[in-house]
Amino acid sequence: EGRIYGYLDDNLSLERTTVAARDGDNLVLTIDENIQSIVVKHLKRFGEQYQDNDHYGNGANNIGCIIMDVNNGEIKAMASYPTFDLSDPYDTDALLGMPLLTDSGELTGDYISKTTLSLLSEEERLQALAVSPDDTYYCEGHLDVAGNRIGCHNIYGDGTLTVGEAVERSCNVALMYMADDIGYEDFCEYQNIFNFGLRTNIDLADEARTENLIYHAEDMGEADLATNSFGQNFNVTMIQMITAFCSIVNGGTYYEPHIVSKITSPSGATVKTIEPRVLKKTVSEESCQLLREYMLQVVEGENGTGKTARPAGYRIGGKTGTAETLPRDNGEYVVSFMGYAPADDPQIAIYVVVDRPNVEKGEKQADAKFATGIVRSILTEVLPYMNIYMTEELTDEERAELKELGLKDTTGYTEGSE
């Protein structure tokens, strides 16, 4: 900061000294302006599409999205809706839902979707017990645990499922069986390996710890273990979740997420370059490969719960989530989808959470389509922008959709062609 100061001498003449202001350094962000604008546009579009329904006026209580480079921890986009109006800093109503992105300790419900937690339970099962992916589990629609009947989303039961089929169908019962085999100690240890409850050390102010919002082995009961197995009944932040997820997608490397790529002086000289920082190895490449295959089934499988997340012309993998809030049976849910693209060479991970969608009267909130639809819309624009070319044939309907968006069909792309 510059300043001017002075004093009156013996002759009452003003002696003035001026200290010139100095320009501060510049932060160069990892945020991609175009990807960020695409994300903001589609979150806003969803909010406006559902704003006139019964429950909330903004399409949902809160909507959040993060896109991260899976291979270095760079944040390419991060946004929420409704937004905070910077021109009116005293109006904090729009911030009520934002703890979903920052401090979930202020939330009263269970704001962790059944997304990668399902996958992490699979990882625990495979890594800790070295069981075959061909192991099977029988789901009859519910499981009785410690006097509680805990249901699967398919109340009629999924029958006999392999590990991959359990992920594809998002079967709670199969996951509860796996967690029971793992046991309290190993289950909680794997949550610790993936940094749940701890800060990721992203370079943003006031990142929350959620250590007091997850279970530890000594205070976990049978029902707690069962519900934790499919991602219910504890809380983490979105940045904790997507950072852990990226380590599965990239082969087990846990990068510290960051939003600043370098610092430059006022003249443009580089003061500091922020290099990707590897914090730990979470799981083996072999296990990650299996999980990526399972996540492909979620999007491409006949019974996959994430089919509507696939953007036209691309193969992606991912996992849907549906988390029931407190009090139970209130009909209010947090739905989500976390995925990676493209399937054959993952470059980015995307995480979309819709906190209690403002559905039409008579429609249920417990439907991942509210999140998968946003993911599809975002990736339909982001992937071509990143020069990632289509690998799948398009339907006439998809071609019409791309034309309406002003996007090209790149399925027939060859080097040198327009």
Side-chain angles (χ1 to χ4, degrees), residues 12-41:
L12 298 182
S13 298
L14 178 63
E15 297 290 337
R16 176 175 293 173
T17 301
T18 300
V19 178
R22 176 186 176 277
D23 290 338
D25 290 337
N26 306 301
L27 295 178
V28 181
L29 303 185
T30 64
I31 294 288
D32 185 296
E33 180 181 5
N34 292 311
I35 296 177
Q36 177 77 10
S37 67
I38 292 169
V39 168
V40 170
K41 176 179 70 174

Side-chain angles (χ1 to χ4, degrees), residues 218-265:
E218 59 272 16
D219 56 24
M220 177 179 275
E222 288 183 60
D224 302 322
L225 178 62
T227 52
N228 273 221
S229 74
F230 53 86
Q232 189 87 25
N233 205 31
F234 66 101
N235 299 268
V236 300
T237 62
M238 285 184 71
I239 193 63
Q240 287 175 8
M241 181 64 96
I242 194 170
T243 306
F245 180 80
C246 284
S247 77
I248 292 175
V249 174
N250 68 28
T253 302
Y254 187 100
Y255 286 97
E256 181 178 82
H258 61 283
I259 204 167
V260 177
S261 62
K262 64 179 177 179
I263 300 171
T264 63
S265 69

Side-chain angles (χ1 to χ4, degrees), residues 167-417:
V167 176
E168 176 186 342
R169 300 190 187 201
S170 201
C171 177
N172 293 352
V173 172
L175 292 165
M176 286 189 280
Y177 278 126
M178 295 178 199
D180 184 60
D181 287 342
I182 296 164
Y184 305 111
E185 294 288 344
D186 287 339
F187 186 92
C188 292
E189 175 59 24
Y190 269 89
Q191 288 192 330
N192 182 61
I193 286 173
F194 285 101
N195 257 34
F196 290 156
L198 304 177
R199 294 187 182 96
T200 63
N201 290 328
I202 186 173
D203 44 359
L204 289 171
D206 300 325
E207 182 187 5
R209 286 171 64 101
T210 60
E211 187 177 14
N212 62 327
L213 301 173
I214 65 173
Y215 282 88
H216 303 280
E218 59 272 16
D219 56 24
M220 177 179 275
E222 288 183 60
D224 302 322
L225 178 62
T227 52
N228 273 221
S229 74
F230 53 86
Q232 189 87 25
N233 205 31
F234 66 101
N235 299 268
V236 300
T237 62
M238 285 184 71
I239 193 63
Q240 287 175 8
M241 181 64 96
I242 194 170
T243 306
F245 180 80
C246 284
S247 77
I248 292 175
V249 174
N250 68 28
T253 302
Y254 187 100
Y255 286 97
E256 181 178 82
H258 61 283
I259 204 167
V260 177
S261 62
K262 64 179 177 179
I263 300 171
T264 63
S265 69
S267 65
T270 299
V271 175
K272 182 179 181 181
T273 299
I274 288 78
E275 300 291 345
R277 184 183 177 197
V278 177
L279 297 185
K280 63 173 73 176
K281 182 74 174 178
T282 54
V283 289
S284 69
E285 169 59 43
E286 293 76 17
S287 293
C288 291
Q289 177 61 35
L290 277 173
L291 292 169
R292 289 193 296 268
E293 292 174 7
Y294 297 159
M295 287 189 281
L296 275 177
Q297 292 177 228
V298 171
V299 178
E300 298 182 349
E302 181 179 352
N303 298 292
T305 57
K307 290 181 178 180
T308 53
R310 187 186 77 85
Y314 295 94
R315 298 182 71 210
I316 69 169
K319 185 70 184 69
T320 54
T322 309
E324 187 178 16
T325 67
L326 292 175
R328 302 297 185 213
D329 301 321
N330 65 3
E332 296 188 348
Y333 289 80
V334 176
V335 296
S336 65
F337 182 86
M338 185 178 300
Y340 64 91
D344 57 344
D345 181 24
Q347 300 297 311
I348 59 170
I350 181 170
Y351 188 22
V352 169
V353 176
V354 182
D355 174 12
R356 289 165 287 184
N358 187 17
V359 297
E360 296 181 10
K361 190 173 183 179
E363 191 176 8
K364 293 182 178 181
Q365 289 186 3
D367 193 331
K369 71 179 181 183
F370 299 110
T372 57
I374 297 174
V375 169
R376 185 180 192 277
S377 298
I378 291 172
L379 292 183
T380 295
E381 295 191 54
V382 166
L383 294 177
Y385 164 73
M386 294 179 64
N387 292 321
I388 297 172
Y389 295 101
M390 300 177 183
T391 59
E392 309 303 300
E393 289 296 323
L394 300 178
T395 64
D396 292 339
E397 183 179 349
E398 288 172 334
R399 287 192 177 90
E401 177 189 1
L402 293 178
K403 185 176 181 180
E404 185 177 342
L405 291 170
L407 301 174
K408 293 182 179 180
D409 173 2
T410 62
T411 52
Y413 174 84
T414 56
E415 195 66 38
S417 66

Side-chain angles (χ1 to χ4, degrees), residues 50-70:
Y50 290 93
Q51 68 181 357
D52 296 327
N53 294 331
D54 293 340
H55 294 81
Y56 315 101
N58 294 302
N61 189 56
N62 189 53
I63 314 166
C65 176
I66 302 176
I67 295 181
M68 182 186 285
D69 189 318
V70 301

